[in-house]
Amino acid sequence: MQKAALCPSTYTFVSALQACEDMSLGKLGMEIHANVLKSNHHLDLYVANALLVMYTRCGKVGEALKIFDAMDERDNISWNSMLSGFVQNVFYNEALHFCHEMQDAGQKPDQGSVVSLLAASARLGNILYGMEIHAYAVKNGLESDLQVGNTLIDFYGKCSRINYIDSVFCRIPNKDVISWTTVIAGHAQNNSHLRAVELFREAQMERMDVDAMMIGSVLRACIGLEHISLLKELHSYIVKKGLSDLVLYNTILDAYGACGNVDYAFHIFKLIEFKDIVSWTSMMNCYVHNGLANEALHLFLSLKEVGVETDFVALMSALSAASSLSALRKGKEIHGDKEFLQIVHRKGCPRSDFKLLYSIVRIL
């Protein structure tokens, strides 16, 4: 088009910028922005909005903010693009502050604004602000919106308000698979395991399409309840549906270990073709949890052979196994291991990781 000396229109620029809404295409997006500045479209509302979305999705929030501040005219898309851009790039406090600017400018938050603000409140654990947004949604007839309802369930789940989870869920008129998955996850994450299983049964009765995320949440409930029969049922369903998600298989492995079925756990471990450090650590934890410390240590020593990098969780499992065996020499060997020292130096030892320190103290 440029070679043919044709002048790009607003539609052309918007379409080209929408194609660049990916981190890997950020440089191309900036080149298109340069062409916009050379043309007479740099003040066009639609082009400016497309630039906002492009820059925020490419992680360049500062550039997006410069464009937003330079805009003579802004609509609800402009405000929501900037608001969701803050949330997508983990600027949660900035998103809440931006909402006040939005209201001061006379812009009324809509469905998109409410979803972004609830997501920011959930990540911050800001229950009061989130409940204010919930009240606003009710007042303005937005609570029954499917996306708002699903985001509210997620918000209350992350803030550990189980009663509110069910209340919001019941008021959603046309629930989708995301609604069911989110409410089950909310209960499973907050140790309301029995309720999570009940909701899963209800979802099956409603003939919902059970996906990997939903199964993952129910597996966590199985771990909490040590519900071996449901675990085997879910395992059969996963095999039947051909779901081969690594995270899912790692969770099944964890669940069998927690339920005391080491043989099944090891069978799953062997089935995982491309094991990550979580797979290895889950199997080690399974052995430690079920009193098989020798097997856990043997597995830990196999890590170097397969070239998988050790992390703190794997080291903690190995040290726990060594301490339970009173394996002084092996424990000191792990503690003095060059790789162990490199991990501590590189990542530091988190204050919360008292179990690791306790295991070292028990050995030394």
Side-chain angles (χ1 to χ4, degrees):
M1 187 176 186
Q2 288 175 314
K3 287 179 181 178
L6 294 173
C7 184
S9 64
T10 295
Y11 178 80
T12 308
F13 278 126
V14 170
S15 298
L17 287 165
Q18 286 174 341
C20 297
E21 293 172 6
D22 186 273
M23 282 274 193
S24 61
L25 297 171
K27 188 178 178 182
L28 181 58
M30 291 174 75
E31 288 176 14
I32 296 169
H33 186 190
N35 281 309
V36 169
L37 293 173
K38 291 174 186 176
S39 71
N40 61 347
H41 292 278
H42 64 284
L43 295 176
D44 188 290
L45 178 63
Y46 299 106
V47 175
N49 284 344
L51 282 166
L52 289 179
V53 175
M54 186 273 291
Y55 274 120
T56 54
R57 289 192 179 170
C58 290
K60 297 182 180 294
V61 180
E63 291 298 319
L65 201 53
K66 286 178 188 176
I67 293 166
F68 181 84
D69 289 338
M71 291 171 70
D72 294 325
E73 181 189 358
R74 303 180 185 114
D75 61 4
N76 65 323
I77 296 173
S78 315
W79 288 96
N80 281 336
S81 297
M82 203 64 239
L83 186 60
S84 63
F86 280 125
V87 177
Q88 288 163 13
N89 289 280
V90 203
F91 293 111
Y92 303 128
N93 281 310
E94 288 80 356
L96 303 190
H97 179 72
F98 187 75
C99 179
H100 292 301
E101 288 184 30
M102 184 178 180
Q103 290 174 306
D104 290 342
Q107 186 70 35
K108 187 178 179 182
D110 60 9
Q111 182 260 12
S113 316
V114 167
V115 167
S116 292
L117 292 167
L118 285 170
S121 301
R123 299 315 184 272
L124 291 168
N126 192 332
I127 184 68
L128 292 177
Y129 194 94
M131 290 182 81
E132 283 182 29
I133 299 300
H134 186 183
Y136 175 89
V138 172
K139 186 178 177 182
N140 290 274
L142 295 170
E143 189 189 29
S144 59
D145 177 86
L146 182 60
Q147 194 175 1
V148 170
N150 289 344
T151 312
L152 275 167
I153 295 170
D154 181 65
F155 161 69
Y156 283 120
K158 284 184 168 61
C159 292
S160 303
R161 296 297 194 273
I162 298 173
N163 292 337
Y164 287 102
I165 295 174
D166 281 343
S167 176
V168 172
F169 179 72
C170 290
R171 288 200 294 273
I172 298 176
N174 299 302
K175 302 171 183 67
D176 64 0
V177 68
I178 296 172
S179 313
W180 286 96
T181 301
T182 309
V183 73
I184 290 168
H187 280 285
Q189 288 161 9
N190 287 285
N191 300 322
S192 180
H193 304 306
L194 198 57
R195 179 61 179 148
V197 173
E198 288 172 359
L199 284 162
F200 175 65
R201 293 300 189 201
E202 288 178 31
Q204 288 180 307
M205 288 170 61
E206 292 288 332
R207 300 195 179 280
M208 280 290 152
D209 184 25
V210 178
D211 60 6
M213 287 185 67
M214 190 185 293
I215 291 173
S217 294
V218 184
L219 284 170
R220 291 187 192 96
C222 288
I223 293 171
L225 294 169
E226 296 187 5
H227 198 321
I228 191 67
S229 59
L230 177 59
L231 174 55
K232 288 181 177 179
E233 179 189 328
L234 290 169
H235 185 187
S236 298
Y237 181 88
I238 289 164
V239 173
K240 183 181 176 182
K241 291 290 183 179
L243 300 172
S244 56
D245 183 86
L246 178 60
V247 175
L248 198 57
Y249 269 87
N250 287 342
T251 310
I252 297 171
L253 203 166
D254 266 334
Y256 274 125
C259 292
N261 201 320
V262 180
D263 291 339
Y264 271 76
F266 186 68
H267 175 69
I268 295 294
F269 180 73
K270 296 289 283 184
L271 282 176
I272 300 172
E273 188 176 357
F274 301 106
K275 302 173 182 66
D276 61 3
I277 188 61
V278 178
S279 313
W280 288 87
T281 306
S282 296
M283 194 63 230
M284 286 166 59
N285 284 337
C286 169
Y287 282 137
V288 172
H289 178 74
N290 289 282
L292 300 169
N294 272 318
E295 286 81 351
L297 281 173
H298 178 75
L299 203 63
F300 175 76
L301 295 173
S302 302
L303 278 171
K304 287 185 179 180
E305 296 173 17
V306 296
V308 177
E309 186 182 354
T310 310
D311 65 3
F312 258 125
V313 182
L315 287 164
M316 186 175 74
S317 297
L319 287 165
S320 295
S323 64
S324 67
L325 285 169
S326 299
L328 182 63
R329 189 168 61 84
K330 178 52 64 181
K332 284 185 175 181
E333 183 182 321
I334 296 167
H335 180 223
D337 187 273
K338 184 180 178 183
E339 188 177 4
F340 174 86
L341 296 173
Q342 284 175 342
I343 292 172
V344 173
H345 177 72
R346 185 169 65 249
K347 298 181 180 177
C349 184
R351 288 185 181 180
S352 60
D353 216 338
F354 290 117
K355 286 184 181 178
L356 177 60
L357 298 174
Y358 178 68
S359 297
I360 295 170
V361 169
R362 283 184 67 190
I363 292 167
L364 303 179

